[in-house]
Amino acid sequence: MHADLLAPLDLAFWNIESDLHPMHLGALGVFSAHSPTAGAHAADLLAARAAAVPGLRMRIRDVWQPLAFGGAAREAAPDFDPLDHVRLHAPTDDFHAVAGRLMQRPLERGRPPWEAHVLPGQDGVSFAVLFKFHHALADGLRALKLAAGVLDPLDLPERAPRPIEPPRTLPALPDVRKVPELVRGALSDVGRALDIGASVALSALGVSSSAALRSTPTGTRSIAGVDLDIDDVHRVRKAVGGTVNDVLIAVVAGALRRWLEERGTPTEGVAPRALIPVSKRRPRTVAPQGNRLSGYLIRLPVDNPDPLARLDRVRTAMVRNKDAGPNRGAGAVALLADHVPALGHRLGGPLVGQAARLWFDILVTSVPLPGLGLRLGGHPLTAVYPLAPLAPGQSLAVAISTYRNQVHYGLVADAAAVPDLDVLARAVTDEVDSLIEVCDP
């Protein structure tokens, strides 16, 4: 049976998981429905189509062979049954509340680590699907490809075939003629590791976070979604410069300030470190295997009361990060996973997970979505809220997607630490309104 080894970062995600901090990502898609039975029909379609998507048949098993001792590999599950993964729930009038409870449940590790939960709406004119994928099975881009495989096919023009990335197999012994080159590469890697380590240490100096962004893990989850008009975001961008992503990150900073102020929490000197993931996957591959992530680390200017000044500080920080590139700086810690042996990931996984709070305070990630309208059983997808994993010791994570002229924020929180997630969601909308007000002539 064919199997391919997990990439080092995938192996890290697989090993840092715990019951209180499952390492799956998700997406809550909301569809308009033509009838009250649309949800049940959608569940049947998902189960039928999942059997034909090879990536959804892949389970993860441990590897104890000498050259990959302590590693793990993907392989096709011989007893794969889509009905174990697709579930139809009772009708609900609150998709986010149900999805939050479902997100806190870890995926079953003995079978392909994904689930699709269909949530019919009590109104009879909508339903939602919560997709869950373990981060070791798929990153945001790969998860999107897998989910697209069970949605209605798009009528697209044919493209030339793209090269397929070969699977990771057991490493061969190095050619002795390449030893000098390997030594130079190792020295370069050591230098980069020292540079990244020093950047992480410096990032923790001088500016504080807020206790509201840290929590004792409870394993509970709540989620909230926010919808913005992309035209409003472009209005701000055109008025002040920068990128759409700069505006969306600055909105997070302003929303956090509003949320803390409503809690009565001081914001003076508060500038939490936000990790902005950056994909380093090679483009134009048909079957990309393994997460290839770096990141930018910026301090969110929560302490600044001026919306435009906050946006300017975010834009300046992002320009500085992009000039340095994704291979340097405190945000590039994930790249070091490539240089840790498999057994090291297995033994050190729990410690690495707990160290996340020393690295960053909040995750702010963007998930690209196709501009074309997606459907399931003929029912159009009207909104999609990406949901990121929550790192140990952290109470909030933010994921952002843009779909058909709308921006969707997916907020994930430790439900016990953040019982007022609805306040933060409202603050996102208020911050955009504030930016528009100060940008209009």
Side-chain angles (χ1 to χ4, degrees), residues 290-325:
N291 283 286
R292 292 291 302 163
L293 291 174
S294 182
Y296 299 140
L297 202 69
I298 72 169
R299 289 172 172 170
L300 297 179
V302 173
D303 55 343
N304 196 310
D306 182 349
L308 289 182
R310 286 195 293 267
L311 177 51
D312 183 66
R313 284 174 57 178
V314 167
R315 183 173 61 242
T316 300
M318 289 299 289
V319 168
R320 185 168 55 246
N321 274 297
K322 291 173 184 176
D323 286 344

